[in-house]
Amino acid sequence: MSDRSYAVVDLETTGTQRHAGHKIIQFGCAIIHHAQITEHISITINPERAVPREVLALTGISQASLRTGPTFDEVAPTLHQLLADKVFIAHNVNFDLPFLNEAFENVGLPPIEPLAYDTVELAQVMLPQAVSYRLKDLSTFLNIVHEHPHQADSDAIATAKIFLLLLKQIGQLPRPVLQQMVALSHYLSRQTGEVFEQALHEKTAQELPSYLQKVGEFVIRRQKPTDTTLGRHAHDHYPATDPEKRQQFDQELKPRPAQFAMMDFIYRYQNNEASEKLIIEAPTGVGKSLGYLLPLSYTLTSLAKRRLVITTSTTVLQAQLDRQAVPLLNHLRGVNFRVAMLKSASHYLDFDRLAAYLRHGAKNRGTAINEMRILVWLTQTQTGDLDELQITNYATEFFQSINHLPTLVPSSQYFEADFWRRVVSRATSAQIVITNNAYLAQHLDDFTSDQDMLVVDEAQHFAEDLTQSSHGYFSVMRLQNRINQLLELVRVLQDNNDVEPVLERLQSPLFACQLLLNQLIQQTQELNDQIVLLAHQNFIRETVYLQAEDIHPHQEALLGALEQVIDSLDRYLDQAIELEETLDHEALKSDTAQKMMALIFHNNQLERLQEHLLTAVDHLQDREFNQYGFYLNLDDDGINYQLNWLAMSHQSLRQKIDRQFSLQIYTGASLAVGTDFSYFLDHLNFNAHDVHCLRLQSPFLYQEKAELLLPQETYSPSENGADYDNWISNTILPVLRQTDKQTLILFNSLSSIKNVYGRLQSALGFEREVMAQGITGSNDKIAKRFRLAKNAILLGSQSFWEGIDFPGEQLSLLIITRIPFESPKNPTTHYRNSLLKAAGISPFNADTLPKAILKLKQGFGRLIRTETDRGIVLMLDERVVNSPYASKVQQAFPEKLPKLILPNQQLGHHIQDFFRD
């Protein structure tokens, strides 16, 4: 491909709609010949019309340069001739090429019809682990200097450099992978797929490089051998004194007195014969991960055969421990600890399911790009963890068709290479297992007797996560929809036998499937009738909590209806498996093969729904019935309903944890309200006499590094939600216009984010990047983009209150819109409040308020992450200072944090002055 000439083009325009009269204001082009950028062209073009202020701000183009520039009709012949004999490259070619062609036609020139490649799609395929495929972010990811984003010449040069790097990577793909890519490449935009065809044509090497191997249909990366030698090293004995610790850290880490205190506290108790529970509040900056890992590591390397399990609230925190904390521990100790990261099978790729999808799955541009990027990713990944792909939505049919089911198939040709099998196998011998609370609760019986040390990191979530692990539900409507989809597929396959001879001999099993599915439709309607009787209402509009007296009269009939549906599902799924095993997939035509693939997908989903029904039957039995709360609420679509069950107590699970782990360490930045651990202890049913508590002091000088600001003119958050959101927008917009500091805005609901995001994006979107949870990408993707940005604004809720790290200038301004009181509509909250009321205790004082204080404490903790950080918290909720519980809420903030109440119009100026100083 090196003998071709390429024109890498980028346009800046007055708007994105070419049919709406928008014009080109800048043309940038980099010419590539013999794999080198030989020249670049930049022309600022007079559009002969007003240019929106936001476009000028975004591009940095001045009105003066536009006025003195040539018009498009003056430069069009030169550009037309320049591009006519070259391959056209653009970062989103379906924008630049049509826009340019329409401009040519408007001045009387014919459109150009070059070969055209899209670097967005090439990057999506070849850089499967990139956080973002925007030009600016790709440039950063690939260490390409891109000094002037949104200026056509700089963008064109950056795109050209990216294209050359991608070409090189494509040329290095093994021949079997290139063959698979070529089979899918015709789904890519325009002629982009030709890049892979040409690379395959030029490929001469047949052998795989040593780091790759071919397993079945796939080329995958060989597993790195793990160094399991433990031996005796320089640091075999715990450094008991501060000088010994300083010597072991040896200039590599800054000594932290609070961290040293945490280490000594744990070491004092960890080898006691009696069971011990340690509760440690370790504020941001203490270094709690190493604070517990270092002392415990000496037990792991002693003669005693003990192993450590660390559990966290999220898979993101799991990854941070695995990638950052454990390698640091290995370095300090001179030991390669055997480590396994455990999470559910659905996070991993299933080779057999991927192979089936490649052969028969539905194909379009989106699925083809995902298939191609996974084929490339398999040559890179050591884990097979789909989270590495940074996908916004893993709930799509494609990813649900290729992720791992919670079973292993020893007869599979991929069994030895199976990623999930490797994870489970590694965990059985690992000295340190890193898991999450949900997995721990659901797989507690899988841990071995020598895995007897437990660390619960970010432990403020542990009690609720244990309760939530019991949550289950089923939706009759969702079940009926799935059955109707299957019925339609079966009918289509029956009708296709005249054009698909292979189906002729399958008419009998297809007919049997049809009869069973029709029977299921009737039985699910009977089940629906039984559930509606429980609610005493025909339509479910809000959550309906079911009391024992609501269920008991209908319990036998409800169980009968459930068991009838389960039995029919069993018979249908057996018949469907027989149909699948009888069918010769290779003999099917493409369209029919895709329908069979869809049938298999829906059958798998039906099997998962059946598991929910089986769990419901278990929980409706008399022996467990009183341990669970049942309720009806609206499904995600807001129309249909689902029946839910949730344990009202996690006491039995707590007892199993006590039997498994003799040493339990609970740590987090927000475990105490002020100096009081009572709320945390009560939630886990701990007796204060049975635990050892340690509350460490923050190492940060908040009185010098931060301020808490409150607006003088406020609006009560208890008023109408939309009006309050409007007030938030009006209050923060002037502030955001007056500062260019990275800003995180924390909300208590996704609906408020949606309302405020619209206003901010409209007002500031051309000047600053505005990101929003649930709108602009997955949480992980948004967080990573925010870290790469310079003056971005991020609107977040829920998970953004904690567990994310934006040190230094990644975050300077934190805006908190409300005290994060939990919604009383949350079922967990409902049952907890019911138990408190029954005991004569105020739910607000005993639960709602302390929980909100701890969450607010976590939210504030996002701001100052290192000793050199500076920042401001703008708190918009007046209840922090004007409420009966204001003094308690203020315990969420550091005692010495300066607090100022200013007129609203002065907030932005004050923030400017703070950072200027």
Side-chain angles (χ1 to χ4, degrees):
M1 298 182 72
S2 61
D3 59 340
R4 287 185 170 180
S5 291
Y6 303 93
V8 185
V9 174
D10 185 83
L11 305 178
E12 300 301 334
T13 63
T14 58
T16 58
Q17 304 299 316
R18 64 182 190 276
H19 298 308
H22 290 298
K23 302 292 184 181
I24 298 170
I25 57 173
Q26 197 172 60
F27 173 89
C29 180
I31 303 298
I32 297 175
H33 195 58
H34 293 302
Q36 298 288 328
I37 299 175
T38 56
E39 62 177 306
H40 54 88
I41 299 147
S42 177
I43 305 174
T44 300
I45 298 170
N46 184 346
E48 300 181 291
R49 55 159 289 176
V51 179
R53 177 181 59 84
E54 311 86 67
V55 173
L56 295 174
L58 182 70
T59 60
I61 301 172
S62 68
Q63 289 280 16
S65 62
L66 289 171
R67 281 195 298 271
T68 58
T71 59
F72 186 78
D73 60 345
E74 292 173 328
V75 298
T78 303
L79 299 183
H80 198 276
Q81 185 177 359
L82 172 74
L83 302 173
D85 60 345
K86 295 177 181 67
V87 180
F88 190 98
I89 313 284
H91 204 66
N92 188 3
V93 73
N94 283 330
F95 171 79
D96 292 274
L97 184 55
F99 208 111
L100 190 59
N101 270 334
E102 179 146 324
F104 282 143
E105 290 183 275
N106 288 341
V107 297
L109 291 171
I112 58 172
E113 297 180 0
L115 295 176
Y117 302 160
D118 189 352
T119 52
V120 172
E121 292 181 5
L122 290 176
Q124 287 172 330
V125 170
M126 294 306 300
L127 304 171
Q129 298 185 59
V131 175
S132 163
Y133 297 99
R134 298 182 317 160
L135 188 59
K136 177 183 174 184
D137 296 338
L138 273 180
S139 298
T140 302
F141 182 74
L142 295 170
N143 293 317
I144 291 172
V145 176
H146 187 197
E147 295 179 348
H148 304 291
H150 302 295
Q151 290 191 12
D153 54 346
S154 181
D155 284 356
I157 293 169
T159 303
K161 291 178 179 178
I162 289 170
F163 177 66
L164 288 171
L165 281 172
L166 294 173
L167 275 189
K168 184 176 180 180
Q169 289 190 6
I170 292 168
Q172 292 171 346
L173 288 174
R175 187 177 187 83
V177 177
L178 279 171
Q179 289 170 331
Q180 291 173 307
M181 306 290 262
V182 167
L184 293 161
S185 63
H186 62 279
Y187 289 100
L188 301 182
S189 294
R190 299 185 183 265
Q191 294 80 35
T192 305
E194 287 189 9
V195 176
F196 297 97
E197 296 174 17
Q198 188 67 25
L200 178 60
H201 177 72
E202 295 176 0
K203 195 74 177 177
T204 55
Q206 297 293 328
E207 291 186 6
L208 295 176
S210 59
Y211 61 86
L212 297 176
Q213 62 178 327
K214 194 165 193 296
V215 180
E217 298 179 31
F218 303 108
V219 175
I220 67 173
R221 201 168 191 90
R222 292 185 187 275
Q223 290 287 295
K224 291 178 181 176
T226 304
D227 181 2
T228 58
T229 57
L230 285 176
R232 308 292 295 178
H233 296 271
H235 304 295
D236 280 336
H237 302 288
Y238 177 71
T241 66
D242 284 3
E244 287 175 329
K245 293 184 184 72
R246 291 172 188 272
Q247 183 179 1
Q248 184 165 337
F249 282 20
D250 190 29
Q251 309 298 320
E252 296 183 47
L253 292 173
K254 183 176 180 179
R256 306 180 191 185
Q259 186 184 59
F260 290 174
M262 180 177 180
M263 291 175 178
D264 291 342
F265 183 73
I266 291 171
Y267 191 74
R268 185 189 320 158
Y269 292 103
Q270 69 185 41
N271 291 314
N272 288 0
E273 291 186 10
S275 296
E276 300 285 6
K277 294 185 177 72
L278 310 183
I279 317 295
I280 305 169
E281 182 174 81
T284 302
V286 166
K288 65 178 166 58
S289 300
L290 194 61
Y292 61 73
L293 278 170
L294 188 73
L296 293 173
S297 73
Y298 287 91
T299 296
L300 297 178
T301 53
S302 69
L303 295 178
K305 189 183 178 186
R306 301 183 72 183
R307 294 193 286 153
L308 171 64
V309 175
I310 304 171
T311 183
T312 72
S313 56
T314 67
T315 56
V316 174
L317 290 175
Q318 271 185 270
Q320 286 180 8
L321 285 168
D322 185 49
R323 294 170 190 168
Q324 299 171 21
V326 172
L328 178 59
L329 173 69
N330 287 344
H331 179 68
L332 290 174
R333 286 291 320 275
V335 174
N336 288 313
F337 287 102
R338 298 188 301 275
V339 181
M341 189 161 72
L342 261 182
K343 47 188 177 180
S344 68
S346 61
H347 287 273
Y348 296 89
L349 178 78
D350 186 310
F351 284 114
D352 285 299
R353 300 185 79 203
L354 175 61
Y357 199 95
L358 284 170
R359 287 194 296 270
H360 308 299
K363 295 287 189 292
N364 54 48
R365 190 178 70 88
T367 60
I369 288 173
N370 277 328
E371 289 171 69
M372 294 171 78
R373 74 189 301 201
I374 284 176
L375 291 169
V376 172
W377 174 64
L378 284 174
T379 68
Q380 303 169 354
T381 184
Q382 289 277 337
T383 69
D385 185 345
L386 290 167
D387 290 343
E388 291 179 0
L389 294 172
Q390 313 288 343
I391 301 298
T392 302
N393 181 14
Y394 286 99
T396 62
E397 181 175 329
F398 171 72
F399 282 101
Q400 291 297 304
S401 297
I402 67 166
N403 67 350
H404 212 295
L405 301 177
T407 52
L408 293 169
V409 183
S411 60
S412 167
Q413 65 177 320
Y414 300 108
F415 181 73
E416 288 301 320
D418 187 89
F419 293 116
W420 170 239
R421 185 198 67 78
R422 289 174 177 173
V423 166
V424 174
S425 174
R426 193 158 50 244
T428 61
S429 60
Q431 295 165 292
I432 302 173
V433 169
I434 305 171
T435 187
N436 58 73
N437 298 341
Y439 189 94
L440 178 79
Q442 293 162 9
H443 298 85
L444 194 53
D445 294 336
D446 296 342
F447 291 92
T448 59
S449 59
D450 56 349
Q451 291 174 310
D452 66 342
M453 298 189 295
L454 176 70
V455 172
V456 181
D457 202 338
E458 298 297 340
Q460 66 273 13
H461 296 290
F462 194 56
E464 187 155 346
D465 287 346
L466 292 184
T467 301
Q468 279 299 119
S469 71
S470 70
H471 176 242
Y473 68 92
F474 70 83
S475 165
V476 177
M477 278 72 170
R478 194 178 293 184
L479 181 60
Q480 285 182 331
N481 290 341
R482 190 71 65 184
I483 293 168
N484 281 321
Q485 288 172 309
L486 283 163
L487 259 176
E488 181 60 30
L489 282 168
V490 168
R491 288 177 186 137
V492 170
L493 290 169
Q494 285 176 313
D495 293 343
N496 273 14
N497 68 321
D498 55 336
V499 295
E500 189 76 271
V502 177
L503 294 176
E504 182 62 43
R505 56 189 173 82
L506 297 177
Q507 290 305 299
S508 178
L510 283 168
F511 182 67
C513 285
Q514 184 181 18
L515 287 178
L516 287 166
L517 288 167
N518 280 319
Q519 185 180 51
L520 273 165
I521 289 291
Q522 182 180 345
Q523 290 170 342
T524 51
Q525 187 55 51
E526 292 169 8
L527 175 60
N528 180 68
D529 294 343
Q530 289 296 328
I531 293 171
V532 168
L533 281 173
L534 300 176
H536 305 297
Q537 51 187 272
N538 293 326
F539 298 101
I540 308 298
R541 294 184 178 85
E542 58 185 7
T543 302
V544 177
Y545 291 97
L546 304 173
Q547 307 301 320
E549 54 268 26
D550 296 321
I551 298 177
H552 277 307
H554 307 285
Q555 192 166 354
E556 188 175 337
L558 178 59
L559 281 167
L562 275 166
E563 288 167 347
Q564 190 177 44
V565 171
I566 290 167
D567 180 62
S568 292
L569 281 171
D570 270 335
R571 287 185 285 122
Y572 164 74
L573 290 168
D574 286 343
Q575 186 65 60
I577 289 170
E578 182 183 329
L579 174 66
E580 291 171 24
E581 290 175 346
T582 307
L583 193 62
D584 180 4
H585 286 273
E586 302 302 329
L588 292 177
K589 295 177 181 176
S590 174
D591 185 56
T592 308
Q594 288 188 15
K595 287 182 172 57
M596 277 304 303
M597 192 69 192
L599 188 77
I600 293 168
F601 169 77
H602 289 304
N603 286 340
N604 286 336
Q605 299 301 106
L606 200 63
E607 196 168 356
R608 294 183 183 185
L609 291 172
Q610 185 191 31
E611 290 171 5
H612 294 174
L613 300 182
L614 287 164
T615 309
V617 169
D618 286 343
H619 293 318
L620 282 165
Q621 304 298 330
D622 285 341
R623 62 184 176 80
E624 289 194 4
F625 179 77
N626 291 327
Q627 298 177 24
Y628 283 80
F630 290 82
Y631 59 95
L632 297 168
N633 67 354
L634 287 176
D635 206 342
D636 293 338
D637 59 13
I639 301 171
N640 300 316
Y641 71 87
Q642 55 192 25
L643 175 65
N644 301 260
W645 52 92
L646 182 71
M648 290 186 284
S649 168
H650 51 70
Q651 186 60 24
S652 61
L653 195 52
R654 280 263 359 119
Q655 291 168 354
K656 288 178 70 175
I657 290 171
D658 285 346
R659 289 193 294 270
Q660 175 69 44
F661 301 105
S662 58
L663 175 65
Q664 299 171 31
I665 299 169
Y666 297 83
T667 186
S670 304
L671 304 186
V673 178
T675 59
D676 187 2
F677 286 96
S678 299
Y679 174 77
F680 178 78
L681 298 179
D682 290 345
H683 258 230
L684 284 169
N685 298 322
F686 287 164
N687 188 316
H689 299 295
D690 298 331
V691 301
H692 306 282
C693 295
L694 175 67
R695 183 171 172 266
L696 299 167
Q697 295 300 312
S698 171
F700 301 146
L701 300 174
Y702 288 107
Q703 64 272 28
E704 299 175 7
K705 300 292 185 180
E707 286 183 351
L708 172 63
L709 290 188
L710 295 104
Q712 203 170 72
E713 299 87 30
T714 60
Y715 188 93
S716 172
S718 60
E719 299 294 333
N720 178 279
D723 288 345
Y724 186 68
D725 294 341
N726 192 47
W727 175 81
I728 289 172
S729 301
N730 291 336
T731 302
I732 65 177
L733 262 173
V735 172
L736 296 173
R737 285 195 173 110
Q738 288 176 287
T739 177
D740 61 354
K741 296 295 181 181
Q742 286 263 114
T743 303
L744 171 64
I745 309 176
L746 292 175
F747 292 80
N748 217 19
S749 76
L750 293 175
S751 60
S752 288
I753 286 179
K754 185 177 180 181
N755 291 339
V756 177
Y757 170 77
R759 286 283 306 279
L760 299 191
Q761 178 62 25
S762 174
L764 301 172
F766 279 95
E767 302 168 28
R768 302 177 66 176
E769 183 175 6
V770 184
M771 310 171 196
Q773 182 179 350
I775 298 174
T776 61
S778 68
N779 293 356
D780 197 33
K781 194 168 186 175
I782 291 170
K784 288 179 179 176
R785 277 177 53 193
F786 189 70
R787 290 187 184 100
L788 295 172
K790 296 298 181 186
N791 65 341
I793 301 165
L794 194 163
L795 285 64
S797 179
Q798 299 160 352
S799 58
F800 282 94
W801 282 83
E802 56 190 289
I804 52 169
D805 198 10
F806 299 130
E809 294 188 356
Q810 290 179 20
L811 178 62
S812 299
L813 175 59
L814 175 67
I815 301 176
I816 299 177
T817 58
R818 291 174 186 252
I819 298 172
F821 288 117
E822 191 172 55
S823 168
K825 295 180 181 179
N826 181 310
T828 308
T829 306
H830 170 85
Y831 287 118
R832 200 162 55 235
N833 289 352
S834 298
L835 292 172
L836 289 169
K837 286 177 183 176
I841 299 170
S842 162
F844 181 80
N845 291 325
D847 189 78
T848 306
L849 181 59
K851 187 169 187 178
I853 292 169
L854 291 178
K855 190 170 181 180
L856 184 58
K857 190 175 182 178
Q858 285 285 100
F860 172 79
R862 299 314 93 212
L863 183 64
I864 305 296
R865 307 299 294 176
T866 72
E867 292 183 5
T868 59
D869 287 1
R870 298 182 75 237
I872 279 187
V873 179
L874 174 58
M875 183 75 205
L876 300 181
D877 194 328
E878 63 177 10
R879 294 172 294 184
V880 171
V881 289
N882 296 320
S883 69
Y885 45 84
S887 61
K888 292 182 179 179
V889 172
Q890 289 176 27
Q891 294 180 70
F893 302 108
E895 186 178 351
K896 295 182 179 180
L897 179 70
K899 180 179 69 182
L900 291 88
I901 300 174
L902 296 174
N904 295 36
Q905 64 271 21
Q906 291 182 20
L907 293 171
H909 295 297
H910 179 83
I911 293 169
Q912 274 185 324
D913 293 341
F914 176 88
F915 289 111
R916 191 179 295 124
D917 294 341

